[in-house]
Amino acid sequence: MSRALILDTETTGLDPATGDRVLEVAAIEVVNLMPTGRHFHKLINPERDVPPEATKVHGFTASMLADKPLFAAILPELLEFLGDDPVIAHNAPFDFKFLDYEFDRCETPRIPRSRMVDTLEMAKKRFPGLPNSLDALCRRFGIDLSARTTHNALLDVQLLGQVYLELMGGKQPGLALATALGGNRSGLATTAGPIARTPRPIANTPEEMERHAAFTSKLKDPVWAGLDAAS
């Protein structure tokens, strides 16, 4: 079983070094590239104001978050959910930079960079020179974006889960199973037993036989004449 977590954060700004903080964390669990339905989602009191330009991105204001828990309070549950598995994010260094800052404040070891998987880098390698934002990738893969009016972290990880599946090869479980069976598609039917097939012989009408005989009589030294004689 291959388990990973798809994660996203929303923040008060772009740089924790200037005082910006995490205000939302969301993650979903995927096993063998498919979402399991398990998820983690918390709104967080960032202990500071939320600039209007940030609110325009994610829709949250300081008053909306005033009664939410501090990051330190949600950290144990977050760590338990993440476990020791890979953490996938779009522009992952951005999210990890903020998590590093919050983990340091809580005097908790950071998530090792060896666990980080950046879907933005994956997309740049697959689609060099093209726009590779989450919105652009969703449009490219035909993923419904109608619910994405703001950058909500929980919705974003659900969309990114679909994008990640496409970046890893797309929704082809039948093909993957056939490959696992050695590329022999007939092996897919073995669990259900042999497939019964009804013979459908083709019978020519007397008229068709006459037209065929008339046509072949005009041919000079047909190939099958020698075969008939040999038999």
Side-chain angles (χ1 to χ4, degrees):
M1 179 182 74
S2 176
R3 180 181 186 264
L5 295 312
I6 298 177
L7 177 140
D8 186 46
T9 63
E10 296 298 340
T11 66
T12 64
L14 301 177
D15 192 352
T18 60
D20 287 315
R21 301 286 303 277
V22 173
L23 55 80
E24 184 184 22
V25 179
I28 61 172
E29 179 186 65
V30 294
V31 174
N32 297 332
L33 304 182
M34 298 300 293
T36 65
R38 292 190 64 217
H39 74 276
F40 174 93
H41 180 229
K42 297 291 181 182
L43 295 176
I44 299 159
N45 181 347
E47 302 179 90
R48 55 151 292 168
D49 67 307
V50 180
E53 56 269 25
T55 299
K56 289 180 181 178
V57 174
H58 47 59
F60 295 111
T61 64
S63 60
M64 294 169 62
L65 302 167
D67 63 343
K68 304 307 178 187
L70 303 183
F71 190 92
I74 66 99
L75 182 54
E77 188 179 349
L78 174 62
L79 289 173
E80 181 181 2
F81 187 78
L82 296 181
D84 297 320
D85 298 298
V87 178
I88 302 159
H90 201 65
N91 192 16
F94 177 88
D95 298 282
F96 271 66
K97 176 176 65 175
F98 271 92
L99 292 177
D100 286 349
Y101 178 78
E102 299 290 353
F103 279 41
D104 290 348
R105 284 176 56 91
C106 298
E107 299 182 348
T108 299
R110 299 176 175 184
I111 301 172
R113 283 296 194 274
S114 59
R115 293 173 56 189
M116 183 179 79
V117 179
D118 187 4
T119 51
L120 179 56
E121 285 302 311
M122 294 173 64
K124 285 180 178 178
K125 291 178 181 178
R126 182 165 174 182
F127 305 110
L130 294 179
N132 285 304
S133 66
L134 182 57
D135 281 358
L137 290 169
C138 285
R139 287 191 290 268
R140 195 167 299 147
F141 290 129
I143 297 168
D144 183 12
L145 274 170
S146 59
R148 195 178 193 238
T149 55
T150 59
H151 286 236
N152 173 279
L154 184 57
L155 175 60
D156 283 0
V157 292
Q158 293 168 344
L159 292 172
L160 185 56
Q162 299 178 66
V163 167
Y164 179 64
L165 175 59
E166 295 289 352
L167 289 172
M168 292 296 289
K171 302 169 184 177
Q172 303 182 59
L175 178 60
L177 179 57
T179 302
L181 292 169
N184 183 358
R185 294 182 63 87
S186 64
L188 295 174
T190 56
T191 56
I195 299 174
R197 300 185 183 277
T198 303
R200 290 184 172 87
I202 299 174
N204 295 313
T205 65
E207 293 79 7
E208 290 172 334
M209 294 296 293
E210 289 179 5
R211 289 199 297 270
H212 176 71
F215 173 77
T216 56
S217 65
K218 300 176 183 179
L219 299 177
K220 183 178 180 180
D221 299 327
V223 175
W224 56 87
L227 297 176
D228 291 341
S231 61

